[in-house]
Amino acid sequence: MAENQNIEYKSSWHDDHLKWVCGFANAAGGTIFLGKNDKGEVVGISDHKKLMEDIPNKIKNYLGIIAEIKLHDESGKYAIEIVTPPYTVAVSLRGRYYQRSGSTNTELIGAALTEFLLRKSGQTWDEIIESRATIDDIDQKSVDLFLEAAEKSGRMPDVKGLILIELLEKLRVADGGKLKRAALILFGKDPGRFYPNLTVKMGRFGKTDDDLKFQETEEGNLIQLLQEVPKQLGHKFLIKNISFEGLLRIEKGEYPAAALREMLLNALVHRNYMGAMIQIRIYDNKLSIWNEGTLPTGITFADLRVNHPSKPKNPIIADVCFKGGYIDAWGRGTLKIITACREAELPEPEMKEEFGGVMITLFKERFTEEQLRKMGLNERQVKAVLFVLENGKITNKEYQEKFGVSRMTATRDLTELVEKSILKSSDTKGAGSYYEL
């Protein structure tokens, strides 16, 4: 069994491994095997008798929890299994908190620690009362935009006749006449006055990250950002490909509009609002959105590509967005992004954890170099497809000259690309024939 988010292999015991026990306890639980190498093969542990006594005591004394300790004998080689269950209370090691996320064990500090402790206490960041705010800090226009969207969605309960504070309490973004953080994030006149970095930064880059061509920022509440960010992207950053069907002018965006919408919604709804600003990077061949925060406990990036439960980081904000018809309550956002790319005949989006946040990247070209390599193509074939992506087509003769191979080898390589449905051959045969996407 390979290492994963719930399993860790260690060849020997060190007290530093208590961090991993703490990380498992604060996440979905997990198992540490002592006396096994990285491949899960038993290499044996010599002091197993002493460790069977010491480890349970150290876990109890340093962490205040109980873990199940098992001894395994495999052909005279001993391995110890430490099974840590998930704990509903926050578990610390010498005043520090750790949490397992994916295959890494992370110390929680700053905003991440605050959010973690709130969650363990049964609260979320967005439900905390903001004592500095009053009803005058709510933007009525944003509320009206939301109500229009909610009426179309049909998910909103009857709110006719309610004054503003009553409406906000109906949405559970206010309580006892006092505003919660969610109210300011969703409808605030100037939410940045209360919380830093409520900004979406957009940058247009050249071929490298240090080649910044120009940038723009949008500030405001969530409802405003949903309106303004797509406008800014369409106006200044994205190029619309225009074609004609008869006399009808057809505009097709560089990237599927549905995918961009879901990416922005995911970033706004599920972000860490005490962290860094959302960043959108636009390159010649790709677009990425990054927002600070980790995946919910028990959810992996592989899970995001299949049906998975919805575990919103900010449940009140998510519920209001659901009532407004912006999102659904089934955790289908990433599936919609994948489907939109597939329908546009684009590569599946890349989703990964990076710099303490989640990055989703769309690729404009039908094939990426990484994808082509994963498909088992040889180096010539990879470069040939990239050549076609840039130049539109390639002939058998060009293939021979470009890679210094015989006509037979070129034909074999190109025929294989056709059989894999990567390239297609032109209708013309013999002289003048070529291969294209």
Side-chain angles (χ1 to χ4, degrees):
M1 185 183 297
E3 284 186 320
N4 57 43
Q5 64 177 349
N6 301 114
I7 295 177
E8 187 79 24
Y9 295 127
K10 303 292 182 184
S11 59
S12 60
W13 171 259
H14 188 282
D15 285 354
D16 207 43
H17 297 341
L18 290 170
K19 294 178 182 179
W20 272 261
V21 177
C22 182
F24 281 135
N26 285 328
T31 301
I32 300 175
F33 286 97
L34 302 178
K36 289 191 175 185
N37 61 23
D38 291 340
K39 296 180 180 179
E41 300 166 340
V42 177
V43 295
I45 191 163
S46 58
D47 51 349
H48 62 275
K49 289 184 179 179
K50 187 175 185 302
L51 289 176
M52 287 295 291
E53 294 180 6
D54 289 350
I55 292 174
N57 290 329
K58 288 183 177 182
I59 291 174
K60 182 179 180 180
N61 293 336
Y62 286 105
L63 299 173
I65 62 174
I66 303 296
E68 185 179 2
I69 313 298
K70 303 176 183 178
L71 181 64
H72 299 278
D73 181 355
E74 297 191 22
S75 302
K77 292 182 179 179
Y78 291 96
I80 294 176
E81 181 181 1
I82 306 170
V83 182
T84 306
Y87 275 76
T88 56
V89 297
V91 176
S92 67
L93 172 65
R94 302 183 184 94
R96 296 176 179 271
Y97 294 84
Y98 301 88
Q99 187 176 46
R100 182 77 168 193
S101 177
S103 59
T104 61
N105 199 54
T106 305
E107 182 180 356
L108 300 172
I109 58 175
L113 176 58
T114 300
E115 181 184 338
F116 167 76
L117 293 175
L118 279 172
R119 189 171 64 252
K120 286 294 185 179
S121 67
Q123 293 181 297
T124 55
W125 182 88
D126 59 347
E127 71 174 312
I128 302 299
I129 295 293
E130 181 49 76
S131 59
R132 298 172 293 168
T134 69
I135 195 67
D136 292 334
D137 290 303
I138 297 299
D139 178 48
Q140 184 64 54
K141 184 178 179 181
S142 296
V143 174
D144 293 339
L145 284 172
F146 164 76
L147 290 175
E148 288 178 18
E151 185 176 355
K152 293 177 182 177
S153 74
R155 297 171 178 172
M156 185 76 177
D158 185 19
V159 294
K160 292 179 181 178
L162 297 182
I163 62 173
L164 180 56
I165 190 62
E166 292 173 336
L167 170 64
L168 297 178
E169 291 187 349
K170 187 82 171 180
L171 291 171
R172 296 192 299 114
V173 299
D175 186 27
K178 297 180 179 180
L179 301 180
K180 296 180 180 180
R181 289 169 171 172
L184 296 163
I185 296 298
L186 288 158
F187 309 119
K189 286 180 182 176
D190 183 15
R193 185 166 70 87
F194 298 91
Y195 316 114
N197 295 328
L198 297 188
T199 303
V200 177
K201 179 187 284 188
M202 294 158 275
R204 182 64 169 84
F205 293 82
K207 293 186 179 298
T208 59
D209 287 336
D210 59 355
D211 184 15
L212 177 62
K213 302 296 185 183
F214 55 87
Q215 62 180 324
E216 294 289 346
T217 59
E218 288 291 341
E219 299 181 16
N221 61 51
L222 188 149
I223 302 299
Q224 292 168 339
L225 291 173
L226 282 178
Q227 306 290 321
E228 298 305 319
V229 172
K231 288 181 184 178
Q232 186 68 261
L233 287 173
H235 174 69
K236 193 168 183 177
F237 290 88
L238 301 178
I239 301 170
K240 291 184 177 179
N241 300 321
I242 301 174
S243 61
F244 290 87
E245 292 181 6
L247 297 177
L248 182 63
R249 183 174 185 265
I250 304 295
E251 287 190 352
K252 183 181 179 182
E254 291 181 84
Y255 303 96
L260 290 174
R261 170 186 165 83
E262 290 299 328
M263 289 168 65
L264 180 59
L265 276 165
N266 275 349
L268 289 170
V269 173
H270 303 301
R271 67 165 291 186
N272 176 356
Y273 274 99
M274 295 302 288
M277 64 184 70
I278 293 172
Q279 298 174 29
I280 303 178
R281 292 170 172 261
I282 301 97
Y283 301 82
D284 290 341
N285 61 346
K286 64 182 180 179
L287 178 151
S288 66
I289 295 184
W290 177 91
N291 68 296
E292 186 170 337
T294 57
L295 295 182
T297 301
I299 298 290
T300 67
F301 284 100
D303 295 331
L304 298 182
R305 297 184 177 278
V306 297
N307 289 323
H308 60 277
S310 176
K311 293 185 177 182
K313 184 186 298 289
N314 303 298
I316 296 178
I317 293 174
D319 182 62
V320 173
C321 288
F322 169 75
K323 288 184 171 68
Y326 302 117
I327 64 173
D328 61 39
W330 295 93
R332 297 191 304 149
T334 50
L335 295 181
K336 289 181 178 179
I337 297 170
I338 293 170
T339 299
C341 290
R342 187 178 297 128
E343 290 176 348
E345 296 185 339
L346 295 178
E348 280 200 3
E350 178 184 73
M351 295 180 277
K352 63 180 180 179
E353 191 170 348
E354 190 169 88
F355 306 119
V358 174
M359 173 92 79
I360 300 182
T361 302
L362 301 184
F363 299 95
K364 187 163 63 174
E365 304 295 356
R366 185 176 171 188
F367 297 106
T368 66
E369 186 171 349
E370 182 181 359
Q371 260 196 326
L372 293 168
R373 295 188 194 284
K374 287 181 179 179
M375 295 171 74
L377 305 184
N378 63 43
E379 197 63 24
R380 295 188 302 272
Q381 291 171 318
V382 170
K383 291 180 178 178
V385 176
L386 296 177
F387 179 86
V388 175
L389 283 169
E390 185 173 348
N391 298 279
K393 62 182 180 179
I394 190 171
T395 65
N396 192 296
K397 186 176 181 181
E398 285 175 328
Y399 196 100
Q400 296 173 52
E401 294 173 350
K402 186 173 181 64
F403 302 113
V405 296
S406 67
R407 179 177 180 81
M408 182 179 295
T409 299
T411 301
R412 184 178 65 247
D413 282 359
L414 290 166
T415 300
E416 186 175 328
L417 289 172
V418 172
E419 290 172 349
K420 288 179 177 287
S421 299
I422 298 173
L423 296 183
K424 58 183 179 181
S425 59
S426 62
D427 294 332
T428 307
K429 302 302 178 182
S433 65
Y434 57 86
Y435 297 82
E436 61 184 353
L437 287 171

